[in-house]
Amino acid sequence: MQISLVINGVARIDDVDPHLRLSTYLRETRGLTGLKEGCKEGECGACTVLVDGKAVNSCLMLAFQADGVTITTIEGLVSADGQASPLQQAFVTNGAVQCGYCTPGMVMAAEALLRDNPDPDDAAIRHALAGNLCRCTGYQPIIATVREEARRRAASS
Amino acid sequence: MTVLQAARPRDLPALKELLAACGPEVHFIAGGTDMLVAPHEVAREGWLIDISRTAGLEGVRREGNKLWIGATTTLSGLMSSPLIRDHAPVLAEAADLCGSAQIRNRATIGGNVANASPAGDLLPVLKCLVARFQVLGQDGIIRERSFDDTVGRLPAAALIIGVVVPIHAPAPRMAFVKLGVRDDLTIARLNLVMGAHVGADVRLRGVSIFAGALAPRPLRLPSVETVLEGASLQALPVDEYLAALLSAVDAAIPGRASQGYKRRAIMGLGLDLLEKLTGRKDLAS
């Protein structure tokens, strides 16, 4: 089935099998391997992308359902000259990354939160990131990073 | 080789036309948050119809003394709807306790009802709200069905297209509480919803209480309702209420492995529910 969509600002047209998950399509057809297929049941959040600006588990959406949508993956946050976004850089600076497997999904969930709620308190951050599991960091550096990035955006706006 | 055919009908007339032509093997997908959970397999044959962006199936509007909620309205959509927040805030509250932000952005009210999970968080709330359901049959006719005729009892190839929730004036107080293994992204081990009016005499009237995850479908607890009916907010019969909740668990799941912990759990959850509904914070003491 044909789909026409925009991925990280670039229009794409592809033929997809009706069974193909969006996560698999993005990784294998489009080569966007930042997102990870961790659990394929919406538990780990490692496959999180933005679909029309909202965070979704791309493992729980079929590729053919993405016809007409706009998708942003972790690769889409990087600037045209290859610089990591301030949020991505804050994850690195604050030690909010260890093994890194969860990080792309965590960053995308955080990005969705900050676009929707520019001034989240810790409870809102935890609630928004509850769908993203991290085995390494203990979450504290991640929450601190999101809080810090919210402050940075407020100061620069 | 797959013989599954997929379709994305643009609107309700196109959906009806497709249904009339596609034979009995029909599968609907919207959010996909239940259907695509591994290791579940997507159907290999028939038609897979994506209704997630079919025009006319999404949104919330007021129709007289009722709310119409489109079946593909997401849980996030319920939470952000001013109409839901004004007239059925308990539904928004329950939606906020479902899954994760990612799940809530995709999961739909129609899918939650059609999936009919015993632990479905919206189901006891919809039952308590006396919701009814608009169901499109393969014959193209839309019929309104009761909760009991819909949840777990949808005919083959039938599709929920809307949820109808009555608006009461005055609005009853309502409260919802949920117990899972963690605060977020958790499947309910038990949930409770209560609705009641508080009269000028500060007594509870018209009490209705339903439990989820205690039976295949939301279970009404009439013996618990009887204990609270007419009770003064200043002198709530807490001990009798908790005993009735405990008896309800014993009657619902005698001998089940979960009976032991649910007997204890329902008392804590029941206190939370009563405190939430009445505004009292001292009931546990």
Side-chain angles (χ1 to χ4, degrees):
Chain A
M1 188 170 204
Q2 190 174 82
I3 58 171
S4 170
L5 70 171
V6 174
I7 305 173
N8 298 332
V10 180
R12 304 286 186 187
I13 297 175
D14 281 303
D15 275 314
V16 296
D17 184 281
H19 295 94
L20 187 68
R21 293 172 190 263
L22 178 61
S23 52
T24 310
Y25 163 75
L26 291 170
R27 284 180 57 83
E28 297 183 5
T29 305
R30 285 281 134 230
L32 298 166
T33 53
L35 69 92
K36 305 294 184 283
E37 289 184 303
C39 64
K40 292 189 180 178
E41 57 181 35
E43 283 282 331
C44 76
C47 66
T48 301
V49 300
L50 306 189
V51 174
D52 292 334
K54 293 182 183 296
V56 307
N57 298 119
S58 58
C59 73
L60 294 186
M61 186 170 169
L62 292 172
F64 91 90
Q65 296 185 282
D67 181 58
V69 306
T70 295
I71 291 177
T72 306
T73 70
I74 188 75
E75 292 87 349
L77 296 187
V78 176
S79 67
D81 62 355
Q83 294 296 307
S85 72
L87 177 60
Q88 290 171 297
Q89 188 57 52
F91 265 71
V92 175
T93 305
N94 291 344
V97 179
Q98 287 188 28
C99 86
Y101 192 86
C102 74
T103 308
M106 199 70 81
V107 170
M108 298 312 291
E111 181 65 31
L113 167 68
L114 293 175
R115 290 183 187 186
D116 189 49
N117 178 4
D119 185 25
D121 59 17
D122 279 9
I125 296 171
R126 289 175 187 278
H127 192 47
L129 300 186
N132 296 76
L133 300 184
C134 174
R135 297 275 187 189
C136 308
T137 64
Y139 298 100
Q140 299 299 337
I142 295 173
I143 291 158
T145 297
V146 178
R147 194 191 311 128
E148 181 183 300
E149 174 63 6
R151 289 191 190 122
R152 189 201 64 79
R153 291 186 187 193
S156 64
S157 64
Chain B
M1 180 183 156
T2 177
V3 290
L4 184 72
Q5 299 185 77
R8 300 178 297 254
R10 66 186 174 284
D11 55 22
L12 197 52
L15 173 60
K16 287 181 180 179
E17 195 176 317
L18 177 64
L19 274 178
C22 67
E25 186 78 20
V26 179
H27 311 275
F28 299 104
I29 185 168
T33 53
D34 284 315
M35 181 184 277
L36 300 181
V37 171
H40 297 175
E41 287 287 333
V42 177
R44 308 304 297 185
E45 298 181 347
W47 281 85
L48 180 61
I49 302 178
D50 173 27
I51 58 161
S52 61
R53 285 181 298 143
T54 299
L57 302 188
E58 200 260 346
V60 183
R61 62 176 180 263
R62 182 168 184 160
E63 295 180 347
N65 60 352
K66 295 173 182 172
L67 285 183
W68 181 88
I69 308 168
T72 61
T73 304
T74 63
L75 303 189
S76 297
L78 294 177
M79 290 159 57
S80 62
S81 163
L83 283 170
I84 295 290
R85 301 187 81 85
D86 283 351
H87 299 293
V90 70
L91 192 55
E93 198 179 326
D96 191 32
L97 293 175
C98 290
S100 61
Q102 292 94 323
I103 299 283
R104 291 189 292 273
N105 283 337
R106 289 290 298 169
T108 65
I109 187 171
N112 200 258
V113 174
N115 193 46
S117 163
D121 291 314
L122 301 188
L123 298 179
V125 176
L126 290 170
K127 177 79 174 167
C128 198
L129 288 167
V130 199
R132 293 178 64 82
F133 303 91
Q134 293 177 338
V135 177
L136 173 65
Q138 204 161 12
D139 55 8
I141 297 172
I142 297 169
R143 298 173 176 86
E144 194 166 296
R145 300 168 70 100
S146 69
F147 186 98
D148 291 341
D149 285 339
T150 304
V151 177
R153 291 177 179 153
L154 272 179
L159 175 70
I160 297 168
I161 63 165
V163 179
V164 179
V165 175
I167 296 172
H168 298 285
R173 291 190 192 188
M174 295 191 74
F176 174 81
V177 289
K178 170 181 176 175
L179 178 73
V181 294
R182 51 183 171 158
D183 287 344
D184 287 292
L185 191 54
T186 190
I187 293 172
R189 298 299 170 89
L190 198 59
N191 54 35
L192 292 170
V193 61
M194 186 190 314
H197 290 277
V198 179
D201 57 357
V202 203
R203 291 180 181 276
L204 295 172
R205 306 284 184 199
V207 178
S208 58
I209 303 177
F210 293 86
L214 199 55
R217 294 191 293 171
L219 191 63
R220 187 162 199 164
L221 306 180
S223 59
V224 186
E225 294 171 359
T226 301
V227 169
L228 291 180
E229 188 66 36
S232 165
L233 293 194
Q234 273 85 48
L236 289 165
V238 176
D239 290 343
E240 294 94 321
Y241 164 72
L242 295 180
L245 285 172
L246 200 147
S247 297
V249 171
D250 289 341
I253 50 171
R256 288 275 293 272
S258 58
Q259 184 185 1
Y261 84 80
K262 286 193 177 180
R263 292 179 98 241
R264 294 173 60 85
I266 202 164
M267 291 199 287
L269 204 59
L271 273 178
D272 289 348
L273 181 73
L274 196 54
E275 288 191 345
K276 211 167 173 180
L277 186 114
T278 61
R280 296 272 304 265
K281 300 296 178 196
D282 56 346
L283 297 182
S285 53

